[in-house]
Amino acid sequence: MDFSQFFNLLLSWLFVLPMGFLCLAPMRNSLRVHSRRVYPLMLILISSLLVAGAFFVVRFEVIPNAVLLPILFLLFLAYKKAVAANLAQACAVFLFFGCMMSVATNLAYAIDAAYNIDLGAGRESLRFGFFRSLFSFLVLILFYQLFRKYYSFLVEQMQNPIVWWIRGLISAILLLVNLSMAPQQYRTLFVNNIFRVFLSLQAVIFTLEILISVIFYHILKNLMHLSELRVRNNLMEMQEKAYEKQQRYIEENARIRHDFKHTIRTIKVMAENGELDELNGYLNEYVKTIPENEIRNYCANTSLNALLNHYGAMAEKRGIETELRIELPPPEKMPLSNTELCSVVGNVLENAINAGTAQEEGERYIRLSLRVEKNNAFYIVAVNSFNGTPIKRNGRYLSTGKKRSGIGLRSITSTVEQHGGVAYFHHKGKEFFTDIMVPLATPSGALPSGGDG
């Protein structure tokens, strides 16, 4: 076996390693197992595949690309198995970084051609493998943290497969264009201005991919911002309706109190005259005029109170029994903003009401508890009935509503994790459980729990 050819081939294929790590970067919150296990396993898998593939090419004199393509396909299968993202997301991310590596490959071709124009694709020198690996690792160093921080947001928040298929299609087209430009004979690069055009196209493709990613990110951020504005507007509408109902109740009670002295006089006269039947009928009519308190005071937070009244009324209309126990921490210790708190609780109740509505038989109920425990954590705990058949995709629960997106649960998880909390969802039998814990905020100037005095 020609060991120089073996190591040369192994060096030129080393780009697969940074590509594999880059593909994992946007999936940091979508890994099926902890990153401490995924990355070593990915390293072992890629190393094994590259060594075995290089040995097979040299030993049986096979065309390198005929072995490299199956290696990349096996890597993709392993990658899809390691992440909980949907197929469209996995393909889009894999193709994107594949396109990045194709730019690194063509730049390595250009450098190799500058030193020896008698070679070409499939007959590269050791220099090609060195620069291909060098450029690939530079891409890893430059973009790993950026995609880990920002692209993970896209993967987590944008679950629409159509959007990701379009994104992947763009990368696939650019990748095919780049692969078709691989110079079979280096000499052709030095005819007229082809070398300059070749390098310019690499810069254009690389820039296009980055710009598309930036635009994609900002479009999604704007959509999320609009969604947050809609949540705030809904809360304001709920508060306004709750305020109007409360005002009607207060005004009605004021009128009743004003008229009550006349009622007392009438009752006194009937009692003195012994008109008991008339008195009983009069009291029955009077009770009917007393308005019921439509607004319940669950807590001092007016926004949350309006939200709870809104969903409480919705549950009652749908025949779902609700039991709400609300205990909020002091405002200075509340870890969530008003909007975040209402968003989390609203998503919990909306999913629970949808689940109860979808039940065809059995008791329908929602039990929600907000409480502070051990003076250091804020808990949101809920249990609700459902039909006993959970809907899951990629290991995640989906809503029982018409859209079945699961966005509500992802929104809850994302919100609480931003504050160092955790959200856990599970089911048992015909009950669905939501367990959320968020550490209490430390007031300004106070020492953390357990700190030195």
Side-chain angles (χ1 to χ4, degrees):
M1 187 177 74
D2 189 341
F3 284 99
S4 63
Q5 184 185 358
F6 173 80
F7 286 112
N8 185 16
L9 187 60
L10 201 58
L11 180 63
S12 69
W13 283 358
L14 202 58
F15 78 93
V16 178
L17 188 60
M19 178 182 169
F21 285 174
L22 281 168
C23 288
L24 290 174
M27 301 293 181
R28 65 171 185 170
N29 297 323
S30 302
L31 297 175
R32 295 187 186 276
V33 294
H34 199 279
S35 58
R36 292 179 182 176
R37 293 181 56 191
V38 170
Y39 283 90
L41 288 173
M42 183 66 76
L43 175 62
I44 294 171
L45 174 65
I46 293 175
S47 301
S48 302
L49 287 174
L50 295 184
V51 170
F55 175 81
F56 187 82
V57 169
V58 175
R59 179 68 178 81
F60 298 101
E61 299 181 356
V62 181
I63 299 173
N65 284 342
V67 177
L68 180 59
L69 288 177
I71 288 176
L72 291 175
F73 181 71
L74 290 174
L75 177 62
F76 174 76
L77 293 180
Y79 170 64
K80 181 62 184 75
K81 189 72 175 177
V83 300
N86 61 51
L87 180 61
Q89 290 176 320
C91 285
V93 172
F94 197 82
L95 288 169
F96 172 79
F97 289 116
C99 187
M100 292 289 101
M101 293 304 142
S102 72
V103 173
T105 299
N106 282 347
L107 290 177
Y109 277 132
I111 293 176
D112 197 31
Y115 282 91
N116 194 337
I117 64 173
D118 294 324
L119 300 178
R123 296 177 292 110
E124 309 91 350
S125 69
L126 185 63
R127 187 181 296 105
F128 165 78
F130 172 78
F131 280 103
R132 188 188 205 182
S133 299
L134 176 63
F135 291 144
S136 300
F137 278 97
L138 281 176
V139 172
L140 175 65
I141 294 169
L142 290 174
F143 295 107
Y144 179 83
Q145 285 299 334
L146 287 174
F147 283 95
R148 178 177 170 83
K149 181 178 180 181
Y150 296 106
Y151 225 77
S152 60
F153 172 81
L154 301 185
V155 171
E156 191 171 351
Q157 298 298 328
M158 177 55 74
Q159 295 290 317
N160 190 332
I162 296 176
V163 174
W164 285 100
W165 283 124
I166 294 173
R167 180 67 187 92
L169 180 62
I170 294 172
S171 293
I173 292 172
L174 294 176
L175 174 59
L176 290 174
V177 169
N178 244 359
L179 292 177
S180 67
M181 287 194 294
Q184 301 304 311
Q185 297 289 336
Y186 287 162
R187 289 180 180 275
T188 58
L189 293 176
F190 298 95
V191 177
N192 296 326
N193 289 323
I194 291 180
F195 191 82
R196 185 182 302 171
V197 172
F198 181 77
L199 292 178
S200 299
L201 284 174
Q202 299 312 303
V204 168
I205 290 174
F206 185 83
T207 305
L208 268 177
E209 279 286 50
I210 299 301
L211 281 177
I212 291 169
S213 296
V214 171
I215 293 170
F216 191 50
Y217 174 80
H218 283 289
I219 288 174
L220 181 59
K221 285 287 286 185
N222 288 334
L223 289 175
M224 294 299 294
H225 179 65
L226 290 174
S227 177
E228 185 177 342
L229 288 177
R230 284 196 294 270
V231 170
R232 290 181 179 179
N233 289 336
N234 288 337
L235 287 175
M236 291 178 66
E237 289 177 5
M238 290 178 192
Q239 286 178 317
E240 185 178 359
K241 290 178 182 177
Y243 176 76
E244 290 174 354
K245 289 181 180 179
Q246 191 72 58
Q247 281 297 110
R248 288 198 302 269
Y249 174 73
I250 292 172
E251 291 171 1
E252 191 67 24
N253 271 284
R255 182 188 62 79
I256 291 173
R257 284 196 301 271
H258 179 267
D259 295 339
F260 191 64
K261 58 183 178 180
H262 304 296
T263 302
I264 292 296
R265 288 172 185 165
T266 303
I267 292 174
K268 184 175 183 297
V269 171
M270 288 183 177
E272 289 175 348
N273 295 334
E275 301 171 351
L276 297 181
D277 292 336
E278 291 80 357
L279 176 60
N280 187 50
Y282 179 81
L283 289 174
N284 287 334
E285 290 297 321
Y286 180 76
V287 168
K288 293 178 181 179
T289 65
I290 300 175
E292 295 181 2
N293 187 358
E294 296 176 340
I295 301 296
R296 297 182 182 180
N297 292 315
Y298 294 102
C299 61
N301 186 313
T302 54
S303 298
L304 182 61
N305 201 63
L307 183 86
L308 294 174
N309 273 278
H310 171 75
Y311 282 110
M314 184 186 296
E316 186 177 353
K317 287 180 181 179
R318 301 187 185 185
I320 302 172
E321 180 188 348
T322 58
E323 181 181 331
L324 309 178
R325 297 180 182 179
I326 311 301
E327 175 197 342
L328 300 179
E332 66 274 10
K333 289 189 175 183
M334 169 58 75
L336 304 175
S337 69
N338 216 26
T339 303
E340 290 172 332
L341 175 63
C342 290
S343 175
V344 169
V345 175
N347 277 317
V348 171
L349 289 175
E350 184 176 9
N351 286 336
I353 290 173
N354 287 337
T357 305
Q359 275 185 257
E360 296 181 355
E361 58 182 17
E363 184 183 2
R364 301 177 179 183
Y365 56 87
I366 301 171
R367 300 189 186 101
L368 173 69
S369 172
L370 278 65
R371 63 179 185 270
V372 177
E373 287 194 4
K374 299 181 181 179
N375 204 32
N376 61 6
F378 178 50
Y379 286 84
I380 301 175
V381 180
V383 56
N384 63 269
S385 61
F386 78 116
N387 58 18
T389 307
I391 304 171
K392 280 187 168 185
R393 182 185 298 160
N394 297 324
R396 292 174 174 172
Y397 287 101
L398 300 184
S399 170
T400 52
K402 292 182 179 179
K403 294 184 178 180
R404 295 186 177 179
S405 62
I407 293 176
L409 298 185
R410 289 196 300 275
S411 175
I412 292 171
T413 303
S414 176
T415 299
V416 301
E417 285 182 350
Q418 289 175 15
H419 297 275
V422 293
Y424 178 54
F425 311 101
H426 60 107
H427 75 280
K428 183 178 181 181
K430 293 189 176 183
E431 288 188 321
F432 187 85
F433 300 88
T434 300
D435 298 303
I436 300 168
M437 187 281 292
V438 190
L440 292 182
T442 303
S444 178
L447 286 171
S449 177
D452 294 329

